[in-house]
Amino acid sequence: LTLNQTLTLILTYLYLILLSTYLFNLLDSKASQGELGWISSPSHGWEEISGVDEHYTPIRTFQVCNVMEYSQNNWLRTNWIPRYSAQKIYVELKFTLRDCNSIPMVLTCKETFNLHYLETDEDQGSKFREHQFSKIDTIAADESFTQMDLGDRILKLNTEVREVGPMTKKGFYLAFQDVGACVALVSVRVYFKKCPFTVKNLAMFPDTVPTDSQSLVEVRGSCVNNSREEDPPKMYCSTEGEWLVPIGKCLCNIGYEEWGVACQACRPGFYKASSGNVKCSKCPPHSYTHQEEAVHCDCERNYFRAEEDPVSMACSRPPSAPRNVISAINETSVILDWNWPTDSGGRKDVIFNVVCKRCWPGPRQCEPCLGAVRFLPRATGLTNTTVTVVDLLAHTNYTFEIEAQNRVSSQAPTIRQYAAVTITTNQAAPSAVTVIRKDRTSRNSISLSWMEPERPNGIILDYEVKYYEKQEQETSYTILRSKATNVTLNGLKPDTTYLLQIRARTAAGYGGSSRKFEFETSPDSFSISSENSQVVLIAVSSAVAIILLTVVLYIVISRFCRYSKSKHPDEKRLPFGNGHLRLPGIKTYVDPHTYEDPSQAVHEFAKELDASCIAIDKVVGAGEFGEVCSGRLKLPSKKEICVAIKTLKAGYTEKQRRDFLSEASIMGQFNHPNIIRLEGVVTRSKPVMIVTEYMENGSLDGFLRKHDAQFTVIQLVGMLRGIASGMKYLSDMGYVHRDLAARNILVNSNLVCKVSDFGLSRVLEDDPEAAYTTRGGKIPIRWTAPEAIAYRKFTSASDVWSYGIVLWEVMSYGERPYWEMSNQDVIKAVDEGYRLPPPMECPATLYQLMLDCWQKDRNNRPKFEQIVSILDKLIRNPSSLKITASTASRYVTQETSTDITSFHTMGDWLESARTLPCKDAFSGVSYSSCDTLAKTSAEIYLTEVRPAATCPEWEPSMGITTL
Ligand code: AMP
C-alpha cells in the first residue's frame, strides 16, 4: 500500500465511523461549560448551579428543593431548540431525587416533576407563559436518595427518556415543572434519530431521517466514483435510524479495483480487463503497462498475442525451427520424422507444414512438387512430428522443408523457421493391376484383358498371371507370363469357378498383386462371348430363324391379348415403347400382371426350390415384405452357394403375396452379370421366400459412404460400367426400371455392381425416397426425369436420367442428390435448367456424361448402349479421366450459360443460381424455400408447392400436393 492509499482508506473509514452515529443531538446541557441561561419562573424556584459529574467533569445543573413551603409551582424553561429535519425527538433526562421520607418535617414533599414542551417557529426570547405548554409526562425517579446516601456520597442517578412528536414547527422549548420535590437536573439531552450516510456494495446512501410513521423509507444509492451500477442499489431506513435490506450493487469499472469502500485505479504493472469487484492482476509474462487504470497489458517487443488469446495469457512468439529431421526412403515414398522445436514460443498450438520441392543436380535448382505427390496424413497443419510422402517419382531428388508455426507466427517478422532435408528416391516396383476384364469364356478357356497399372514406375517387362480353381484353395495353381495386357487361359474345366491374380514386373521387380478375380467357365457346349452375345444371338437366331419367328409371333400375340385385359393400360411396360430400337431376337420382358393368375407367372419364370436346400444364417436387411437374410443354397449335385433370402412375413394378404412374388417373376426373366440373379422361390411351404445370389457388400450407396474416397477413378468407372451394362440389358428387354438409384444397386465382393429391386407398383411403394405426386403415384423425385414426374412418362430415357443421378452419387461417394433441398425446390430448380454441380475431383468427361443424361429433351439423352461404350473408352484410355470438371468443363443450362463447374457444395451452387435467369423465383417464393436446406431429411416428403407465379417456366399442373 502506498502512503497515499493508506491515508485515503483511514480517512474514509473515520468519516464513516463519525457519520455512523445515528443519534443527532439538538441539545446537550453537559456540553455547555458556561451558564445555560434557561428561564426560571419564579426566580427563586429552579437554581442553576455549577458542579461535576461522576467523572468529575464540570457541568451545569439545575436544582429545586422548596419542600418546606406549600403550593410549589416552579418552572424551568430551556432556550429555543431548532428542530432541523427531525419529526420525532427524544428527551433524555438525568436527575437525582430526594426520598421524601428521609427529609424531617417536610410540608409539601413530592417525588415527581413534570416535563412540558411548546412548538414555535421562532425564538420568543424571555417571554414565558406556562399555559402555552403541553405536558409530555410526569417524571418519577426509579431510585431516590436519602440522608444516608448523602453521607456516603452515593449519587443515585436516574435516567429517563421520553419521545415527542411529530413536530411540525421550526423549533420548540422544553419546560420542567416542579410541584414540591427535591430534585437536581444533572443533564438534559435532546436528540433525534437518523440513518447516517453510508457506503454499501460500493453505493453511497445519504443521511436519511426516518418518517414519524412506522413505515420504512426507501433510499436509492449512487455508485462511488469509477464504478457502475450492476443492479440498482437500494436500502431502507427504519424509524430507529437503522439501514435495512441492502439490495443491488455497483462494480468497479475496468482498470479499477475495489479498495475498501471505493474503486481505485490499477497501479502500473497491473491491469483489470473486466468490470467487477476483483483485484487488478499482475501483467502476464512478457507484457507490461506503464500507466495506471490499465485494462490490458501490451506485449513486449517480439512477443505477440493471437486474436483469440485472452488478455490474461502470456504474450508468446513463433516457435523455433524443428530439429533433427530424418528421412526413411522406401522406393518412391519417404517417411519424414523430426524433433519438436526447442522453443515452442510459449504456446501449445505448434503445427508443422511440409513443403516439397523437386530438385535437379548441379547448381541448386528446385521447383514446387506437382500435385501428384501425396502427404499422409496431410502436408499442412500437422500436429505430430512425422509425415509420409508417397507417389514421388523414382530416382528423383527432393527437398522437404519442415516449418514450425503457431498462432502468432503470422504476426512475426517474415523469418521462416524451418528445417530442410534432401532425399533421392529409389527405383520403385509397379503398382497393382486394378482393372481386369473377361473378354470371352468357353467350356475350357477364358480370355482376359487388363489395364496397365496406374503407376508403372518404369517399363513393364511382363505380367504374371496366376490362377487356380476356387475349390482347390490355392493348393495348386498355374502361372503364365504375358508381355501383352491380355491372355487366354486354356485347358480349364467346364462349369468351374477360377480365381486369378495378375502382377506386373519391371526392372525393379514385381509390383503388388491385383485383387482376386473370380471367373467361371461356361457349362455350354459352345462358346459365347459375354460382350458380343447380341451378335452371336443374332447369328444363332438367323440359324434357327423359323423356330424363333414362330416363338416371337406367339409371344407378341399372347402379350397383345394380355395387355388388352390389363387394368392399367398406362402402366404397361411396352416392349417397344421406350424409344430404344430393339434388337431382333432379344428376349422381351413380360409383365407378370398380364397373367390372369400371377402364381402362374412365378412358376413360369422362377424355379421352385425345396426349403430343405436352404440354410438361413443371419438377417442382413429389411425389405417391405419381411426380413432379408443371408444363407446357403445346396441343390442336389451342385456346389453350395451363398444366397440372399427375402422372406414374406407371416399374416400377409393375398395381394401382398402376389406383389412379393412379382419381383421374382420379373427377376427370373433376366440373365445378365449386372442384374441380380434369381436362384428360385419357395412358394409351396412357409415362409414364402425369394432366393437370389448373395451380394457381400450390400447396397451401393451405403458401400460408397463406408469407403469414402478409397477407390481409384478407374474402379468407380468400372462399377458404373457394370450398372450401365445391366441397364442396357434391361432396356433391350423393354423393361423400364423407374427406381434406378444407388440404394437399389447391390455390390458383391469383387466390386461387381448389379441392378436390383424389381417390382411393379411395389417398387416405389417400398422406396422411402418416393413421394406422392398430384396424379397419385409415388415417385423418388430426386432420381426421376422431369417428364416422368410431370406426366408419368417413364421410359428407358427416364431411366437414363436416373442413371445420371447414380453417376453423380457414385462420383460423390454416396452424397445425397440435391443435399437437403426440399423436393419441390428440386423439381423447380431442375425445371428451370439447373443441374447438380460436378462432385469433387470428378473427371470432366464423366460430368459431361451426367449433363447429357440430364438433357431436358429425353430424345437428346444418350442410350444405355452409348453410355456403356463411352465408359469402355474411358477405361481403355484412363488419361482421359485426369482432367477434373473443376478445371476443364463448362456447362450451358437450358436458358443461359454459366460456369457451374466449381460448385462443389449446395451453397456454391445456389449462390450462382441467384444470378441466373428466373432468379426472381429463387429470390422470391422458391428461393426462400431453398433456405430450408438444413431441414431434416423427414422433409423429403413433399408438403406443399406454392405455384411460383414469378417463374414463367413453372406449370402449376406439374405441382405436387400434400401427402
Ligand atoms: P430390398 O428389399 O431389395 O430393398 O432389400 C433390403 C436390403 O437387404 C438391401 O438394402 C440390402 O442391404 C439387403 N439385400 C437385399 N438383397 C440382397 C442381396 N442379394 N445380397 C445382399 N444383401 C441384400
Side-chain angles (χ1 to χ4, degrees), residues 624-644:
E624 194 207 357
F625 295 100
E627 285 160 344
V628 181
C629 307
S630 67
R632 284 154 292 128
L633 172 70
K634 173 77 184 86
L635 291 176
S637 72
K638 285 258 182 177
K639 281 179 295 175
E640 184 178 80
I641 54 166
C642 288
V643 286

Side-chain angles (χ1 to χ4, degrees), residues 186-240:
V186 176
S187 83
V188 177
R189 191 159 75 95
V190 181
Y191 59 87
F192 64 91
K193 292 180 181 176
K194 66 173 180 182
C195 297
F197 169 89
T198 190
V199 178
K200 189 87 188 165
N201 297 336
L202 292 180
M204 296 181 288
F205 294 87
D207 268 350
T208 305
V209 178
T211 56
D212 183 55
S213 67
Q214 288 304 303
S215 61
L216 302 175
V217 181
E218 184 186 307
V219 183
R220 237 346 253 279
S222 55
C223 291
V224 299
N225 284 349
N226 303 311
S227 71
R228 58 164 188 82
E229 261 183 25
E230 165 84 346
D231 276 329
K234 262 196 295 187
M235 277 215 281
Y236 294 90
C237 177
S238 75
T239 47
E240 288 306 301

Side-chain angles (χ1 to χ4, degrees), residues 351-614:
I351 52 149
F352 304 98
N353 299 332
V354 183
V355 176
C356 168
K357 291 181 179 168
R358 188 179 165 193
C359 301
W360 284 267
R364 240 160 150 78
Q365 256 197 332
C366 296
E367 68 175 31
C369 297
L370 296 177
V373 175
R374 283 190 299 133
F375 291 80
L376 302 174
R378 62 192 164 274
T380 54
L382 296 165
T383 47
N384 289 330
T385 55
T386 182
V387 70
T388 303
V389 191
V390 299
D391 296 347
L392 297 165
L393 298 174
H395 281 305
T396 307
N397 293 336
Y398 288 94
T399 295
F400 294 98
E401 290 170 3
I402 297 139
E403 182 185 13
Q405 282 193 343
N406 61 19
R407 289 235 172 83
V408 296
S409 293
S410 57
Q411 301 179 43
T414 51
I415 305 164
R416 281 181 68 219
Q417 295 286 357
Y418 68 88
V421 63
T422 299
I423 60 134
T424 306
T425 51
N426 298 328
Q427 176 73 26
S431 63
V433 171
T434 50
V435 182
I436 303 181
R437 274 177 15 138
K438 181 174 69 174
D439 293 333
R440 199 178 157 79
T441 18
S442 72
R443 289 186 72 223
N444 307 106
S445 69
I446 297 172
S447 296
L448 303 161
S449 57
W450 56 89
M451 296 198 34
E452 194 176 82
E454 225 179 318
R455 274 172 292 108
N457 292 332
I459 295 165
I460 291 181
L461 302 173
D462 55 21
Y463 293 91
E464 180 194 86
V465 182
K466 172 180 167 185
Y467 63 96
Y468 52 91
E469 269 180 58
K470 191 177 180 184
Q471 265 179 332
E472 300 281 316
Q473 299 278 332
E474 224 175 329
T475 47
S476 74
Y477 53 81
T478 311
I479 286 190
L480 276 183
R481 289 191 206 291
S482 165
K483 284 198 186 305
T485 53
N486 55 49
V487 74
T488 300
L489 312 178
N490 291 311
L492 305 177
K493 292 187 193 161
D495 197 13
T496 306
T497 308
Y498 284 88
L499 292 179
L500 169 143
Q501 279 184 296
I502 300 176
R503 56 181 183 161
R505 186 170 69 95
T506 63
Y510 281 107
S513 291
S514 66
R515 282 184 306 103
K516 287 179 182 160
F517 286 82
E518 194 174 312
F519 298 111
E520 256 175 65
T521 46
S522 139
D524 306 323
S525 53
F526 55 91
S527 80
I528 297 174
S529 150
S530 60
E531 286 307 306
N532 300 322
S533 58
Q534 292 162 7
V535 178
V536 175
L537 276 172
I538 292 166
V540 170
S541 65
S542 337
V544 290
I546 299 164
I547 303 163
L548 200 63
L549 199 62
T550 317
V551 171
V552 169
L553 274 174
Y554 170 77
I555 290 169
V556 170
I557 292 165
S558 65
R559 290 189 64 213
F560 178 77
C561 296
R562 280 171 192 149
Y563 277 124
S564 53
K565 281 189 219 159
S566 169
K567 283 185 212 154
H568 307 290
D570 60 329
E571 290 197 7
K572 273 189 220 164
R573 287 166 180 166
L574 294 170
F576 306 108
N578 55 19
H580 286 256
L581 272 180
R582 308 279 317 289
L583 289 172
I586 294 282
K587 223 168 89 182
T588 309
Y589 158 72
V590 181
D591 180 349
H593 277 184
T594 58
Y595 280 73
E596 249 162 296
D597 173 9
S599 44
Q600 188 199 337
V602 178
H603 291 117
E604 191 163 321
F605 299 117
K607 184 157 79 184
E608 178 72 28
L609 301 172
D610 193 322
S612 64
C613 303
I614 302 164

